[in-house]
Amino acid sequence: MTGMGGALLDVRNLTTRIRTPQGSVSVVREVSITLHPGEIYALVGESGSGKSMTVQSVVRMVPRRLLDGHFGKVVFEGTDLLRLSEKQMRTIRGGGIAMVFQSAMTVLDPCYLVGTQLTEVLKKYGLRGEEAQQRIHTLLTQVGISDPEAVCRAYPHQLSGGLRQRVVIAMALAGNPRLLIADEPTSALDPTVQLQVLDLFQEINRRLGTAILLITHDFGVVARVARRVGVMYKGEIVEEGDVAEVIHRPRHPYTRALLGSVPDLSWVFRGEPRPAAGETRRPARSESSSMTGCPYLSACPESGWRCKRMSPPMIEVSANHHVKCWKRREEA
Ligand SMILES: Nc1ncnc2c1ncn2[C@@H]1O[C@H](COP(=O)(O)OP(=O)(O)OP(=O)(O)O)[C@@H](O)[C@H]1O
């Protein structure tokens, strides 16, 4: 089942507030994301820009001690997740929506064999005995593991980082999710292994039709995997659109600065390891704030009077490209 306009996930004006020693702060501000079935959407931005808080809000996993409230809507397959009980959410997590995080070891227990852990996961979906073993074989094969039996007989620490992450992805696929949320799933891996795991996400998307919401701080990763991208800064999406369009014609000064700090994206297309980082210009740090006006004001080389007073609205650059910037509106 899909929601309005055929969307699988429709996040509408989502705001998430957390408690801090300085008071309540909006770490996600009026974020809207539409993801269609089978689509790959990337959220990109620097550390602290609110990417993780956005996806944790979608699956209602912001730690309770921090959360001060969600506002807006998170409509998944026609149901607003913000209105569900915790019990109802537990059936959505792992079922309709599965998650993969940066470190496989947050999911895998070092004390148990991989096969035992996969068997436990499948019990949750009612599979036991021979049926469960067959499903484990299928899942591990789907994530490109050529010797599933050997992997099942291993403890997590006996596997390479890449294999461990493949096992975690297999676990995430166990409930046949329609949406896979992956939060920096490759940043703990070596560059060549990163590329293999990114390609695996694409293959899962192609073969199983699973939609993917990918979080990354790396435009190289966006360029390799995603079809659409949202650029986050201080808790807001400041630019969004088709990946090629945003990369080749960035309209927000922050996106330009972020792209300027990625010297050469060609390595991702050639399938080569990332070259050593050279001297690059870093964009201004992105952390949530409670100020008025444009969130990028203090770092923007183009700001004008309007930017100081009012937060810019999202304006349409083209049908597949939107930007939150007063200057672009003046040019339009
Ligand atoms: N556990 C926490 N306690 C207090 N503040 C937090 C906590 N987690 C996140 N925040 C704050 O929420 C804001 C958004 O953080 P978030 O982790 O979503 O950013 P991010 O873009 O995912 O960055 P990173 O890639 O570093 O995780 C930041 O200002 C951060 O300081």
Side-chain angles (χ1 to χ4, degrees), residues 80 152 175 208 269:
D80 185 359
C152 284
L208 306 179
F269 298 110

Side-chain angles (χ1 to χ4, degrees), residues 18-20 27 45-54 63 65-66 183-184 215 217 286-288:
I18 64 167
R19 297 187 193 99
T20 73
V27 286
E46 288 230 305
S47 182
S49 58
K51 307 178 299 292
S52 299
M53 280 288 168
T54 300
R65 66 184 167 78
L66 278 183
D183 190 349
E184 301 274 8
I215 287 192
H217 60 274
S286 165
E287 274 181 349
S288 57

Side-chain angles (χ1 to χ4, degrees), residues 136-158:
I136 289 173
H137 191 279
T138 307
L139 286 167
L140 292 179
T141 310
Q142 266 169 355
V143 296
I145 291 176
S146 53
D147 190 350
E149 281 71 29
V151 166
C152 284
R153 285 193 304 270
Y155 286 96
H157 73 267
Q158 293 174 311

